[in-house]
Amino acid sequence: MGNDEPLSLYDESLMEEWLAVVGMRLFVEQYFELKFGSGDFSAYSEKSAKNRKMAATAIFKNGYHLAALKRIAASKSVPASVAMLADATYTIETR
C-alpha cells in the first residue's frame, strides 16, 4: 500500500476501530511521539494506557496514520483546533 492511497473498506474499518481506542485528540496532539513509539498515557489507567499504545502502534505499523490524520481533519466531532492540527500534521507528513 502506498503512503497516501485510499484504504480498502476493511482497512478503513480497522483504522477507525484503532483510532477510537487511541482517541482522535490524543492521536493528533501526540502524533510525533506516538509515531516514534512513545507518548504520554499517564492520564489513563494502566489497562487503558496499554490499549491506547497498542492501537496507536497498530495504526503506524499498518500505514494507516495518514488516513487517520485525514479522518480527524474532516471530523465534526473534534474541536476545530484538533482538526486544524491534524490537517497541518498531514501537510507536514506528505511534503
Side-chain angles (χ1 to χ4, degrees), residues 18-59:
W18 286 329
L19 192 54
V21 171
V22 177
M24 289 187 195
R25 170 179 252 146
L26 176 69
F27 186 79
V28 172
E29 290 178 348
Q30 296 193 38
Y31 178 85
F32 291 103
E33 290 88 347
L34 295 171
K35 180 177 181 178
F36 296 108
S38 62
D40 179 10
F41 301 98
S42 61
Y44 305 98
S45 70
E46 189 177 330
K47 183 175 182 185
S48 177
K50 181 180 176 186
N51 288 339
R52 287 169 191 268
K53 185 171 178 131
M54 285 176 26
T57 299
I59 289 171

Side-chain angles (χ1 to χ4, degrees), residues 9 22 27-28 30-31 35 37 39 60 65 70 73 84 91 94:
L9 217 45
V22 177
F27 186 79
V28 172
Q30 296 193 38
Y31 178 85
K35 180 177 181 178
F60 284 102
H65 52 287
K70 283 170 80 170
M84 287 171 48
T91 300
T94 56

